[in-house]
Amino acid sequence: MFASYLIGLREGLEATLVVSILVAFLVKSDRRDRLPLVWAGVAGAILLSVGFGALLTFTAAHLNQTQQELFDAITSLAATVFVTFMIFWMRTAARRMSGELREKLGHALELGATAVVVMAFLAVAREGLETALLWFAAAQGASATASPLVGISLGLLTSVALGWGLYKSALRINLTTFFTWTGLLLILVAAGIFKYGVHDLQEAGIVPGLSTYAFDISGVLDPGAWYSALLSGMFNITAQPTVVETLAWVAYAVPVLILFLRPSGRPKATRGPAVPAGDAPTVPAS
């Protein structure tokens, strides 16, 4: 549940920030008449994301065991690629996001109503599709319960609350710190998803070594304990992993963590508010 919550919180906050910036720009520009167009684009992106998640679930349910293992492996590997890109993209793009979105929306307003809807749709759709794919991949390693769905729903609701608080100036959080810590956790989550994808490839018979175990700590890591469920559900750390999937986890986690934690080499900016005053969506909606 916590892994799904983290995915929902991280992706949801990105989408919420995008929407709040667009809404604030229209309010500040005295173009409130265009707000329904933004919400129409956002609604379309949400419907597309939900439909994509339903399609993934439906497809997986109508495959035989070997095909399902291969399908799960492909979605897990794709999710690993997306989450890695998202982590590094948000590390560099968070500060310039507001200016770029306002510029694009300004051009869209000049082009007409359809352009505004499309712009808002595209701004949110990427996060929504990523959320659906990441949730599906993370849920594959969980038992057949509603925990992943509950977790991602709570994460999305939390992100909406944070976004609304930022919009109303009720909250001030350091977005750089937030994305750094959630980025570190998501790297470990992505390593677990990648490990699970490799295990599925072994289950499908594409990668060998399914019966060759790296170690067995089942005597120490009690499968029925709460901490075992937490480690398995969030990071896919299991008591008896194969050699190949263990190497896959290390091969992903170590270099990505090093690259993520490596200093950018640029001089540190002056410490200020989490969202720059000129870009912050701080104007009341009414």
Side-chain angles (χ1 to χ4, degrees):
M1 180 185 289
F2 187 72
S4 297
Y5 175 83
L6 184 63
I7 291 172
L9 176 62
R10 172 76 180 232
E11 291 283 353
L13 186 58
E14 290 181 42
T16 302
L17 287 174
V18 168
V19 174
S20 61
I21 289 170
L22 296 180
V23 171
F25 175 74
L26 290 176
V27 171
K28 290 181 179 180
S29 304
D30 198 23
R31 302 296 299 273
R32 295 174 183 269
D33 58 309
R34 297 297 184 180
L35 286 175
L37 300 176
V38 171
W39 294 121
V42 171
I46 293 174
L47 290 175
L48 176 64
S49 304
V50 172
F52 181 58
L55 177 62
L56 290 174
T57 304
F58 176 82
T59 301
H62 289 77
L63 299 174
N64 61 43
Q65 184 173 357
T66 301
Q67 291 173 333
Q68 185 171 357
E69 296 292 350
L70 182 58
F71 180 75
D72 291 347
I74 293 173
T75 55
S76 295
L77 297 178
T80 303
V81 173
F82 275 115
V83 74
T84 305
F85 172 79
M86 178 261 293
I87 289 168
F88 285 96
W89 180 81
M90 279 306 299
R91 185 186 182 193
T92 58
R95 291 186 176 181
R96 66 173 186 269
M97 179 190 295
S98 178
E100 291 180 353
L101 285 173
R102 291 188 303 166
E103 181 180 358
K104 291 179 181 178
L105 184 56
H107 293 318
L109 287 171
E110 296 175 0
L111 294 175
T114 303
V116 176
V117 175
V118 172
M119 189 268 168
F121 172 83
L122 293 176
V124 178
R126 184 182 70 86
E127 273 76 11
L129 292 175
E130 284 184 3
T131 301
L133 179 60
L134 293 175
W135 172 78
F136 179 83
Q140 299 312 301
S143 57
T145 67
S147 295
L149 182 60
V150 172
I152 199 167
S153 299
L154 291 175
L156 291 173
L157 290 174
T158 303
S159 69
V160 171
L162 287 174
W164 180 253
L166 287 170
Y167 179 81
K168 288 293 188 178
S169 298
L171 296 176
R172 286 291 183 182
I173 62 174
N174 189 312
L175 292 180
T176 300
T177 301
F178 173 84
F179 284 123
T180 296
W181 282 105
T182 56
L184 288 172
L185 289 174
L186 279 176
I187 288 173
L188 298 179
V189 171
I193 293 175
F194 183 60
K195 173 178 175 285
Y196 186 83
V198 171
H199 182 79
D200 278 335
L201 290 176
Q202 291 183 299
E203 292 277 3
I206 296 177
V207 175
L210 182 60
S211 300
T212 306
Y213 302 110
F215 50 82
D216 184 355
I217 56 173
S218 54
V220 178
L221 193 63
D222 181 9
W226 66 268
Y227 53 84
S228 300
L230 177 63
L231 291 175
S232 177
M234 185 170 181
F235 304 125
N236 197 25
I237 295 177
T238 54
Q240 196 178 41
T242 67
V243 172
V244 175
E245 62 181 294
T246 301
L247 291 175
W249 194 96
V250 174
Y252 173 86
V254 173
V256 173
L257 282 172
I258 291 174
L259 289 174
F260 185 78
L261 295 173
R262 184 180 60 181
S264 60
R266 293 174 298 179
K268 294 184 178 179
T270 303
R271 187 177 183 86
V275 181
D279 295 337
T282 57
V283 177
S286 58

